[in-house]
């Protein structure tokens, strides 16, 4: 964090943004951890050079969600992509319906 900006790690990279452009979603600490886990999973998959366009599109959608959880279907799709590309699923967040 600098005087007028900070570096934010997102699912698709790191960005330096002005403090005036940051918005709080007022997530609880546990929800922030869930968001971090989802972001980490998506980031690991995006590092794969052989990732197909369809998988990239799904990951983009999941990365842009503005809620701290995945639905059951979203979790299944993300897990399937992880399985297909042999990416360690690690600490999977709990899916909500």
């Amino acid at each position: 964090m600098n005087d007028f900006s900070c570096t934010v790690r997102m699912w698709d990279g790191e960005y330096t943004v002005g403090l005036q452009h940051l918005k709080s979603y007022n997530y609880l600490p546990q929800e922030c951890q869930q968001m971090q886990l989802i972001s980490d999973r998506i980031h690991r998959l995006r590092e794969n050079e052989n990732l197909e366009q369809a998988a990239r599109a799904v990951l983009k959608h999941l990365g842009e969600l503005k809620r701290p959880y995945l639905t059951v279907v979203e979790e299944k799709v993300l897990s399937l992509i992880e399985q297909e590309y042999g990416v360690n699923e690690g600490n999977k967040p709990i899916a909500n319906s």
Side-chain angles (χ1 to χ4, degrees), residues 9 11 35-45:
R9 183 167 170 243
W11 61 274
M35 290 288 288
Q36 185 64 55
L37 291 174
I38 294 167
S39 177
D40 290 346
R41 290 172 69 192
I42 293 169
H43 183 75
R44 277 193 299 270
L45 282 164

Side-chain angles (χ1 to χ4, degrees), residues 10-66:
M10 304 286 289
W11 61 274
D12 63 344
E14 288 188 359
Y15 298 92
T16 299
V17 295
L19 298 178
Q20 73 275 15
H21 297 292
L22 296 177
K23 177 180 176 181
S24 174
Y25 286 97
N26 297 316
Y27 290 145
L28 299 172
Q30 181 183 7
E31 293 172 323
C32 291
Q33 290 175 344
Q34 291 285 101
M35 290 288 288
Q36 185 64 55
L37 291 174
I38 294 167
S39 177
D40 290 346
R41 290 172 69 192
I42 293 169
H43 183 75
R44 277 193 299 270
L45 282 164
R46 287 178 51 88
E47 290 178 335
N48 187 317
E49 295 175 4
N50 299 319
L51 197 62
E52 294 180 17
Q53 287 293 61
R56 284 193 188 282
V58 169
L59 295 176
K60 181 179 188 304
H61 170 74
L62 294 177
E64 293 174 348
L65 293 174
K66 291 178 176 55

Side-chain angles (χ1 to χ4, degrees), residues 2 4 6 8 11 17 39 57 63 65 68 70-72 78 81 83 85 87 90-92 96:
N2 303 316
F4 302 104
C6 67
V8 179
W11 61 274
V17 295
S39 177
L65 293 174
L70 298 176
T71 65
V72 171
L78 182 55
I81 296 171
Q83 180 182 355
Y85 289 95
V87 173
N91 300 318
K92 290 174 28 174
N96 291 339

